[in-house]
Amino acid sequence: MYDDYVVIADYAKNNEHVTITDTFLGKPVTTIGARAFLYLPLKAITLGKNVEAIEADAFCSCTELQEVDGNAELRVIGDGAFMSCTSLEFL
């Protein structure tokens, strides 16, 4: 967590559906960090409205990921953010 925003840097649970909240401890969640969800068995993720960036390899090799949803206004999608997400058809 930074002074004025939050970065999701790591996720250690094996939930099939993850929701990134709009805020955490009163600060906007703006970024999904590099490799934060690497290799996890996600099927769906809902992005909060404040998410602006998905960094490199954030969801790399999440082979079961089928859906990315939400009201986020993405400005940056890093290299390989969804690489090897073989079940994902569209964003």
Side-chain angles (χ1 to χ4, degrees):
M1 186 163 40
Y2 296 88
D3 288 338
D4 55 352
Y5 63 95
V6 175
V7 174
I8 303 295
D10 191 18
Y11 189 81
K13 295 184 180 179
N14 285 327
N15 296 346
E16 289 183 354
H17 185 185
V18 172
T19 298
I20 305 298
T21 59
D22 295 338
T23 60
F24 180 74
L25 298 176
K27 298 179 184 197
V29 178
T30 63
T31 305
I32 299 174
R35 300 182 193 95
F37 292 89
L38 184 70
Y39 294 112
L40 292 181
L42 297 173
K43 291 191 177 185
I45 186 153
T46 301
L47 301 174
K49 68 180 180 183
N50 295 318
V51 176
E52 298 175 347
I54 299 175
E55 293 183 346
D57 301 323
F59 296 98
C60 181
S61 297
C62 292
T63 58
E64 297 178 38
L65 184 61
Q66 299 171 0
E67 182 179 345
V68 177
D69 194 6
N71 295 321
E73 294 195 26
L74 293 173
R75 296 179 185 190
V76 176
I77 298 177
D79 290 340
F82 295 96
M83 184 170 60
S84 299
C85 292
T86 53
S87 298
L88 187 62
E89 295 184 20
F90 61 92
L91 290 175

